[in-house]
């Protein structure tokens, strides 16, 4: 009997294994493990068990007839001594029996066991009387005997059994199908055996196995963190395992409980996620949603490294790879994690690069794309068919990073289609697949649907964890300078304790940048623009202070060098707006040409410009290290720095022109962070912009066409500005922004309500709480549209668990007194409701009927019908006693761009707006879905080319 390591499974996967074994041993009537009142887990069987027919065995007349309860008792790290393990199991069984007695006394359960089976992963000694098995058996006999508390309470247990580790291993040997289902949980040998006779090389992890090469290469590549340039002293990089942090997240549908991202994902990955697995432990797809610099990419690297290290742990690899495996294990242990028990083969995909490839017209499946990337790293051809077999044999962890970096609607649709094909392949193979996607929340309109996907929303780092993260960064950066280390650590601790600066230590990137600038600036910034701008200045001044030959040049030509960075940031931001340029790379020759043009614009003759441009480019590349090699060209390693430079570029113009630039990009998710950084620059350096920016936000709906006026990005932009600290010590401007945020209740519940709700929740705890509560209370008792928006905001406030807001949320909900129909309409708006009663009607058909009533002619109706194909199979049902509430039962928006011709036609846009106005207030979900779809299509249209034209026109004038 192989020595299967049951401790690698984890508690939840062990329960899955036990359920599968019980169904084979006892029968298909075994009911799946479910949460009990005490948080434990149990399976039940109601009927006759003939033990003589099971692998576990029994005498011919040994059978049970009645209600059997199976209890799983899992010990993560069994003790070396069998005596200690038996003692632990005795304690667990004693607690379980006490719970049964308490439940009987309090009448909390409907049925009580006739028979009990205790299943554990620990081994029990078989020595007669003194051995663990006999001692545990004696205890159970005592706990159910005639003088026991259970018997006195009326619980009559007629028999019991104890299955310990060795017996579980015997069952695994007897049931090969279950053994293969849990191959990744047991031994690498099981995985390899699955491929013997077909392709023995692939997956063997021997020296000639391409997958071994790919794992080792991936270890090296993903060990560097992308924010390393921001964290190193003088350009030193950081290892991922130096500064690992497990980020807090809130799980959709998880009771609004804050958990840890890596722990949650790895725990899900430690279970068997095959479609055919009894009691699959949750959604196999996890979507990590977080803002700029919040650590999504770093977290994706961490997950990939954990699975690589787990796969390679038992393999004899070279010293360099072994050092990374050991460092990864140590780093995980520091945050309370261990290497994954389920050895999944990890693959991390840069979605921007994949989308860029798809945009060329190539119909490349995700599996083929993965095979190409694996082949490149392994220096050997690995075909899609080989990976297809590997997917069937071995558990996988597919990590898709950067959905938000694919702004094009068409490209995203292609991605989703290829993803659906890949998932269908995995389901057909009954593959054990864990899928992780990362994205920013802004512009993430699709919300991949449950039950296949679960959303994890990243929360800000708590101040104490920010300080701890800063300590680790400081220790690494100043390992050879204890005096500076002490000084910087003290300043960082002070910054974490100050509410003003603590706001700028809410993400790993912000903490890293803060630790870089704190050496030079004892007075720290209170807004994000100043934080990142100071970082650039710090890097620049650090090079100037080195007293080397180039220092004088850096001082004399600073304005020009900064101009080069700004123009490059703008060009790369424009490039990355389209799928063809998602990688955002500028060829080196283009950088030189850009520098020449900039110098000539500033009065240099052609020869001077060429000569000086070479020095500018050399300084930008070799001294400041913000621009780094990427693929065939150059780019910013940290995306926020690219956005910072783009923000500086669009604000180098007269006031009216700057407002035009901001108005153009204000509705576009791709430009959101750039917009906020640009506004930060204006407000920090030019307070006169307060009035202009507030006025711009108020007028945003007027710039989006007739249908677009039904929505506005103003509330979410104002909320983000408040969160960025841009209203600090500006009370009048703060009041204006608060009113703009509150204007969200004037619109249907579409857009970034999650972010707005978080801001409102924080405002409730501050000086603006009366204004906020009064406005929400007034809207809560208004018409159905206002009530729906307030209800959605309250739901998101609960989700965010905003301090000070909980009591007010309860009061407002009571004041609203939503009917069941209203509540259903709110909850179904984004995802639909699969269970419903009544007649279902397509949304598109209802809009076309309303258009006919509004007087559209035949040609206009035909064009409108063509555009409404974007709504796919979206449908609704009328709820309530008077059928006054429309609730979506299916949300199936396919290609929103089909509505663009209608939105662009002034007459047809007005006609559609009039049509939507004919729906009763209780049917708000129908016009909201249409307007939201139009807004999504418009916001995904590239505007970079138009922006460049406006900026170039300013320069020419």
């Amino acid at each position: 009997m192989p020595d299967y390591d049951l401790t690698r499974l984890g508690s939840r996967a062990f329960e899955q294994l036990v359920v599968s074994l019980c169904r084979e041993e006892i029968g298909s009537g075994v009911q799946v493990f479910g949460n009990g009142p005490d948080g434990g887990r149990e399976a039940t069987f109601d009927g006759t068990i003939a033990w003589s027919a099971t692998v576990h065995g029994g005498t011919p007349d040994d059978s049970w007839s009645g209600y059997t309860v199976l209890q799983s008792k899992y010990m993560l790290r069994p003790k070396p001594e069998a005596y200690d393990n038996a003692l632990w199991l005795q304690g667990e069984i004693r607690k379980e029996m006490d719970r049964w007695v308490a439940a009987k006394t309090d009448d909390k359960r409907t049925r009580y066991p006739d028979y009990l089976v205790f299943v554990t992963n620990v081994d029990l000694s078989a020595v007669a009387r003194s051995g663990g098995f006999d001692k545990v058996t004696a205890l159970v006999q005592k706990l159910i005997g005639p003088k026991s508390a259970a018997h006195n309470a009326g619980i009559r247990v007629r028999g019991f059994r104890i299955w310990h580790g060795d017996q579980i291993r015997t069952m695994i040997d007897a049931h090969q199908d279950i053994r293969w289902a849990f191959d990744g949980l047991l031994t690498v040998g099981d995985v390899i055996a699955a491929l013997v006779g077909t392709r023995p090389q692939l997956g063997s992890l021997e020296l000639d196995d391409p997958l071994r090469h790919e794992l080792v290469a991936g270890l090296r590549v993903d060990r560097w963190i992308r924010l390393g340039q921001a964290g190193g002293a003088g350009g030193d990089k950081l290892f991922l395992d130096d500064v690992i942090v497990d980020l807090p997240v809130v799980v959709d549908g998880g009771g609004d409980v804050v958990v840890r991202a890596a722990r949650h994902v790895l725990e899900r990955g430690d279970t068997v996620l095959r479609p055919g697995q009894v009691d699959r432990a949750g959604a196999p797809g996890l979507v990590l949603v977080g803002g700029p610099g919040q650590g999504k990419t770093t977290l994706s690297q961490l997950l990939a490294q954990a699975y690589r290290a787990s796969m390679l742990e038992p393999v004899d690899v070279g010293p360099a790879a072994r050092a990374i495996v050991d460092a990864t294990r140590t780093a995980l242990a520091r945050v309370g994690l261990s290497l994954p028990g389920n050895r999944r083969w990890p693959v991390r995909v840069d979605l921007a690069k994949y989308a860029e490839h798809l945009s060329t017209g190539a119909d490349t499946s995700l599996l083929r794309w993965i095979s190409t990337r694996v082949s490149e790293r392994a220096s050997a051809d690995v075909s899609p068919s080989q990976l297809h077999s590997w997917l069937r044999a071995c558990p996988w962890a597919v990590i898709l990073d950067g959905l938000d970096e694919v702004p094009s609607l068409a490209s995203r649709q292609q991605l989703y289609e290829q993803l659906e094909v890949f998932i269908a392949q995995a389901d057909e193979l009954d593959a054990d697949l864990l899928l992780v996607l990362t994205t920013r929340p802004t512009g993430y309109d699709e919300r991949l649907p449950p039950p296949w996907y679960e959303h994890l929303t990243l929360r800000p780092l708590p101040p104490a964890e920010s300080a701890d993260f800063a300590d680790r960064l400081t220790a690494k950066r100043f390992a050879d300078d204890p005096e500076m280390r002490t000084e910087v650590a003290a300043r960082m601790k002070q910054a974490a304790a100050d509410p003003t600066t603590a706001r700028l230590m809410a993400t790993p990137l912000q903490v890293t940048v803060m630790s870089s600038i704190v050496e030079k600036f004892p007075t720290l910034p209170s807004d994000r623009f100043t934080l990142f701008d100071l970082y650039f200045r710090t890097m620049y001044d650090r090079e100037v202070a080195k007293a080397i030959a180039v220092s004088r040049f850096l001082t004399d030509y600073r304005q020009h060098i900064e101009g080069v960075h700004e123009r490059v940031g703008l060009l790369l931001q424009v490039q990355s707006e389209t799928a063809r340029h998602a990688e955002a790379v500028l060829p080196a020759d283009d950088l030189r040409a850009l520098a020449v043009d900039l110098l000539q614009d500033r009065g240099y003759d052609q020869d001077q410009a060429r000569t000086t441009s070479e020095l500018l480019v050399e300084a930008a590349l070799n001294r400041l290290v913000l621009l780094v090699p990427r693929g065939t060209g150059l780019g910013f390693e940290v995306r926020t720095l690219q956005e910072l430079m783009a923000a500086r570029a669009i604000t180098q113009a007269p006031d009216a022109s700057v407002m035009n630039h901001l108005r153009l990009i204000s509705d576009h998710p791709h430009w959101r962070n750039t917009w906020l950084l640009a506004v930060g620059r204006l407000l920090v350096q030019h307070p006169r912009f307060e009035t202009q920016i507030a006025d711009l936000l108020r007028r945003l709906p007027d710039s989006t066409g007739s249908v677009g006026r039904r929505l506005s990005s103003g509330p979410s932009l104002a909320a983000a500005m408040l969160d960025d600290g841009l209203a600090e010590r500006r009370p009048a401007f703060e009041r204006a922004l608060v009113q703009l945020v509150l204007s969200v209740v004037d619109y249907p519940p579409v857009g970034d309500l999650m972010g707005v709700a978080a801001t409102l929740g924080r405002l409730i705890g501050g000086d603006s709480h009366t204004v906020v509560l009064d406005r929400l209370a007034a809207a809560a008792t208004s018409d159905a549209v206002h009530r729906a928006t307030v209800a959605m905001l309250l739901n998101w406030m609960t989700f965010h668990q905003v301090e000070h807001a909980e009591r007010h949320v309860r009061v407002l909900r009571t004041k609203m007194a939503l009917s069941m129909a209203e509540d259903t309409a709110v909850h179904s708006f984004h995802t639909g409701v699969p269970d419903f009663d009544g007649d279902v009607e397509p949304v598109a058909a209802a809009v076309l009927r309303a258009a006919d009533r509004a007087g559209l002619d035949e040609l206009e109706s035909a064009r409108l019908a063509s555009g409404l194909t974007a709504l796919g199979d979206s449908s609704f049902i009328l709820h309530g006693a008077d059928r006054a509430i429309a609730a979506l039962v299916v949300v199936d928006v396919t290609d929103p761009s089909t509505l663009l011709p209608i939105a662009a036609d002034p007459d047809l846009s007005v006609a559609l707006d009039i049509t939507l106005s004919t729906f009763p207030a209780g049917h708000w979900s129908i016009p909201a879905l249409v307007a939201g779809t139009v807004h999504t299509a418009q916001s995904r249209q590239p505007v970079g080319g138009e922006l460049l034209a406006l900026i170039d026109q300013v320069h020419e004038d």
Side-chain angles (χ1 to χ4, degrees):
M1 177 180 67
D3 185 19
Y4 303 113
D5 185 2
L6 299 177
T7 63
R8 293 192 62 87
L9 274 68
S11 176
R12 186 65 183 91
F14 179 72
E15 290 161 2
Q16 286 183 302
L17 175 67
V18 171
V19 168
S20 299
L21 291 172
C22 286
R23 289 200 166 195
E24 292 293 331
E25 292 278 304
I26 297 173
S28 60
V30 171
Q31 296 299 305
V32 174
F33 280 84
N35 284 319
D38 60 353
R41 303 185 75 81
E42 61 181 18
T44 63
F45 181 82
D46 197 3
T48 299
I49 302 174
W51 287 112
S52 60
T54 72
V55 172
H56 185 58
T59 61
D61 58 350
D62 185 9
S63 66
W64 291 354
S65 182
Y67 183 58
T68 300
V69 174
L70 299 98
Q71 290 283 342
S72 171
K73 301 299 175 187
Y74 181 83
M75 191 177 192
L76 180 61
R77 295 183 178 86
K79 307 294 184 183
E81 299 296 329
Y83 172 83
D84 294 327
N85 294 327
L87 198 63
W88 168 83
L89 183 59
Q90 285 178 304
E92 291 297 303
I93 292 174
R94 192 185 301 276
K95 286 188 286 188
E96 192 60 52
M97 293 306 301
D98 288 344
R99 283 192 283 263
W100 279 109
V101 171
K104 181 70 172 177
T105 303
D106 298 337
D107 196 24
K108 288 185 176 179
R109 298 189 184 184
T110 56
R111 295 194 71 178
Y112 296 86
D114 300 312
Y115 303 94
L116 287 168
V117 178
F118 294 104
V119 189
T120 181
N121 66 312
V122 302
D123 296 321
L124 299 176
S125 167
V127 177
R129 294 189 179 180
S130 62
F133 185 82
D134 281 358
K135 282 188 173 295
V136 174
T137 299
L139 173 69
V140 177
Q141 288 172 336
K142 180 180 178 181
L143 293 175
I144 65 174
K147 296 182 179 180
S148 67
H151 192 275
N152 293 337
I155 300 175
R156 303 290 188 265
V157 179
R158 305 202 295 267
F160 70 93
R161 286 181 182 254
I162 299 167
W163 294 351
H164 59 92
D166 284 339
Q167 290 159 322
I168 294 296
R169 295 185 185 95
T170 299
M171 296 178 191
I172 292 171
D173 269 343
H175 300 293
Q176 288 292 330
D177 54 340
I178 293 177
R179 178 183 180 183
W180 298 126
F182 285 80
D183 50 13
L185 302 175
L186 301 175
T187 68
V188 173
D190 287 337
V191 178
I192 297 169
L195 296 177
V196 169
T198 55
R199 301 182 188 276
Q201 259 193 339
L202 194 70
S204 67
L205 300 186
E206 298 295 334
L207 285 173
D208 57 352
D209 178 12
L211 295 189
R212 171 193 173 115
H213 300 164
E214 196 277 337
L215 286 169
V216 172
L219 271 180
R220 291 195 304 269
V221 171
D222 275 342
R223 194 183 189 190
W224 299 107
I225 55 176
R226 289 187 63 186
L227 51 74
Q229 294 292 347
D236 293 343
K237 287 188 175 182
L238 288 175
F239 287 144
L240 175 68
D241 38 85
D242 287 333
V243 291
I244 177 177
V245 58
D246 195 1
L247 303 168
V249 293
V250 177
V251 183
D252 274 14
D256 305 326
V257 176
V258 176
V259 298
R260 294 291 160 166
R263 177 179 295 278
H264 187 83
V265 175
L266 293 177
E267 285 179 351
R268 181 66 51 83
D270 269 353
T271 66
V272 175
L273 295 171
R274 299 180 186 275
Q277 172 63 37
V278 175
D279 189 24
R280 188 156 73 173
L286 299 170
V287 184
L288 287 166
V289 184
Q294 208 159 359
K296 301 181 296 300
T297 293
T298 305
L299 185 58
S300 76
Q301 291 175 252
L302 168 62
L303 295 172
Q305 289 294 81
Y307 281 116
R308 291 183 187 113
S310 179
M311 289 284 285
L312 292 172
E313 185 186 26
V315 178
D316 184 14
V317 293
R322 175 56 54 195
I324 302 176
V325 170
D326 293 343
T328 302
R329 186 194 306 108
T330 301
L332 287 169
R334 191 173 64 243
V335 293
L337 298 172
S338 56
L339 290 178
N342 188 356
R343 291 188 176 107
R344 294 182 177 275
W345 182 65
V347 54
R348 198 167 75 88
V349 177
D350 184 333
L351 285 180
K353 291 182 180 178
Y354 182 38
E356 185 174 356
H357 174 75
L358 292 176
S359 72
T360 64
D363 187 20
T364 303
S365 70
L366 181 57
L367 193 64
R368 182 172 292 278
W369 178 258
I370 292 171
S371 74
T372 303
R373 304 285 77 75
V374 170
S375 299
E376 290 172 352
R377 278 188 175 175
S379 301
D381 288 337
V382 178
S383 69
S385 63
Q386 286 178 288
L387 288 186
H388 190 269
S389 299
W390 184 236
L391 178 60
R392 179 181 65 246
C394 177
W396 280 30
V398 177
I399 302 161
L400 308 174
D401 185 36
L403 178 61
D404 55 291
E405 295 191 43
V406 185
S408 162
L409 270 175
S411 296
R412 287 163 82 95
Q413 192 61 39
Q414 286 178 295
L415 276 179
Y416 292 141
E417 289 171 0
Q418 294 295 349
L419 187 54
E420 287 176 7
V421 170
F422 178 71
I423 291 171
Q425 287 177 315
D427 284 351
E428 186 178 359
L429 295 171
D430 196 32
D432 189 351
L433 172 65
L434 173 71
L435 191 69
V436 181
L437 292 96
T438 73
T439 183
R440 289 187 184 182
T442 306
Y444 176 44
D445 306 299
E446 297 85 3
R447 297 282 303 174
L448 296 169
W452 218 95
Y453 293 95
E454 179 179 82
H455 290 76
L456 312 177
T457 303
L458 288 165
R459 297 289 301 274
L461 277 176
E465 293 183 34
S466 294
D468 180 62
F469 182 52
D471 275 345
R472 291 205 302 276
L473 282 174
T474 304
K476 200 69 185 175
R477 292 178 57 233
F478 300 106
D480 300 325
D481 189 348
E483 185 177 344
M484 180 57 74
R485 173 183 172 180
T486 301
E487 184 175 347
V488 170
R491 290 180 183 175
M492 290 298 292
K493 190 170 295 186
Q494 183 180 358
D498 184 337
T500 301
T501 49
R503 183 198 294 112
L504 296 180
M505 297 178 66
T507 72
L509 178 60
Q510 289 175 352
V511 174
T512 305
V513 170
M514 185 79 82
S515 70
S516 295
I517 67 174
V518 76
E519 309 168 51
K520 183 178 178 182
F521 298 96
T523 303
L524 295 173
S526 60
D527 66 273
R528 264 192 337 126
F529 167 77
T530 304
L531 174 69
F532 287 101
D533 199 53
L534 279 180
Y535 168 69
F536 176 72
R537 289 163 53 189
T538 300
M539 295 290 287
Y540 203 108
D541 292 344
R542 184 178 291 159
E543 294 302 315
V544 170
K546 286 183 177 179
I548 54 180
V550 76
S551 296
R552 170 54 63 182
F553 180 83
L554 290 172
T555 301
D556 293 344
Y557 288 84
R558 181 167 192 151
Q559 184 182 25
H560 303 321
I561 295 172
E562 291 188 3
V564 168
H565 279 81
E566 291 165 2
R567 186 68 178 182
V568 170
L570 177 62
L571 290 175
L572 293 181
Q573 188 67 8
V574 171
Q575 278 189 26
S576 59
E577 189 179 21
T578 61
R580 286 186 179 274
H581 299 288
E583 178 64 289
V585 168
L586 186 72
D589 287 343
D590 288 4
L591 177 62
R592 291 184 176 86
L594 182 155
V596 169
D597 290 344
L598 181 143
L599 290 168
Q600 286 185 311
D601 286 345
R602 296 183 178 181
Y604 286 76
D605 63 36
Q606 192 171 32
D607 291 338
Q608 286 177 316
R610 282 205 186 96
T611 303
T612 308
S613 68
E614 289 297 326
L615 297 172
L616 287 179
V617 170
E618 181 183 354
L621 295 180
N622 300 328
R623 300 312 314 172
L624 301 181
V625 295
L626 296 180
L627 289 170
V628 297
R630 295 187 68 178
T632 59
L634 305 160
F636 286 92
E637 191 169 26
V638 180
R639 183 176 168 188
T640 299
L641 294 178
Q642 173 183 305
E643 292 166 325
L644 170 72
M645 291 302 158
R648 288 174 50 149
I650 66 177
T651 52
Q652 302 281 11
D655 290 9
S657 298
V658 169
M659 287 298 106
N660 287 335
H661 302 163
L662 293 176
R663 184 178 294 105
L664 178 64
I665 65 174
S666 58
D667 268 331
H668 297 263
H670 175 73
W671 292 93
R672 172 61 60 91
N673 203 35
T674 303
W675 193 96
L676 289 169
L677 290 167
V679 167
R681 182 172 193 261
L682 295 174
L683 292 171
V684 167
Q685 299 181 3
H686 307 289
R688 68 178 183 278
F689 279 102
E690 291 178 11
T691 303
Q692 296 181 57
I693 290 168
D695 190 51
L696 169 66
L697 294 181
R698 293 188 193 99
R699 297 187 179 190
L700 276 183
D702 296 331
S703 61
T704 54
S706 298
V707 179
R709 280 198 293 272
R710 293 178 171 271
L711 304 173
S712 176
S713 299
S716 63
L717 287 170
M721 290 170 65
L722 287 169
D723 294 342
D724 271 2
L726 295 178
E728 287 290 324
R729 294 174 293 279
R730 303 168 186 262
F733 186 52
E734 181 177 12
R735 287 192 292 271
L737 290 182
V738 169
Q739 290 299 329
L740 281 161
V741 174
L742 288 170
S743 69
V744 69
V745 299
D746 297 332
Y747 303 95
V750 180
D752 182 26
L753 263 67
M754 181 170 65
V756 171
T759 302
L760 288 174
R762 287 189 286 272
L763 290 173
I764 287 175
D767 295 338
S768 302
H769 71 279
T770 302
V771 175
V772 173
L773 292 173
D774 287 350
R775 184 70 178 274
L776 291 177
T781 55
S782 184
D783 63 25
V785 182
H786 289 79
R787 287 166 59 80
T789 300
V790 173
M792 194 80 78
L793 288 169
L794 297 181
N795 289 343
W796 281 120
M797 283 188 204
T798 302
F799 174 83
H800 281 295
Q801 296 182 312
V802 181
E803 191 178 2
H804 309 299
E806 183 179 352
R807 179 174 61 87
H808 298 293
V809 168
R810 287 199 306 269
V811 171
L812 284 168
R813 279 195 170 132
T814 302
K815 191 179 187 72
M816 289 185 72
L818 282 182
S819 67
M820 184 177 296
E822 287 180 301
D823 193 53
T824 300
V826 170
H827 280 89
S828 68
F829 182 63
H830 289 291
T831 58
V833 179
D835 299 320
F836 52 85
D837 296 316
D839 297 326
V840 178
E841 183 174 359
V843 172
V847 175
L848 288 173
R849 274 203 316 277
D852 185 58
R853 291 195 301 270
L856 264 68
D857 62 30
E858 187 175 340
L859 179 60
E860 288 174 330
S861 294
R863 290 184 61 194
L864 180 59
S866 176
L868 291 176
T869 58
L871 302 180
D873 294 328
S874 297
S875 53
F876 68 96
I877 188 171
L878 296 180
H879 274 266
D882 54 359
R883 294 166 56 84
I885 303 296
L888 300 177
V889 295
V890 176
V891 179
D892 179 36
V893 175
T894 54
D895 182 6
S897 62
T898 59
L899 279 166
L900 284 173
I902 295 172
D905 185 319
D907 294 335
L908 201 53
S909 178
V910 170
L912 176 57
D913 186 47
I914 293 172
T915 297
L916 297 180
S917 299
T918 65
F919 283 94
H923 297 187
W924 61 265
S925 59
I926 298 173
L929 179 63
V930 176
T933 305
V934 171
H935 187 266
T936 296
Q938 290 177 321
S939 68
R940 292 289 181 187
Q941 288 298 101
V943 294
E946 188 177 350
L947 178 62
L948 282 177
L950 289 175
I951 292 173
D952 289 342
Q953 183 61 47
V954 170
H955 290 162
E956 289 175 8
D957 294 343

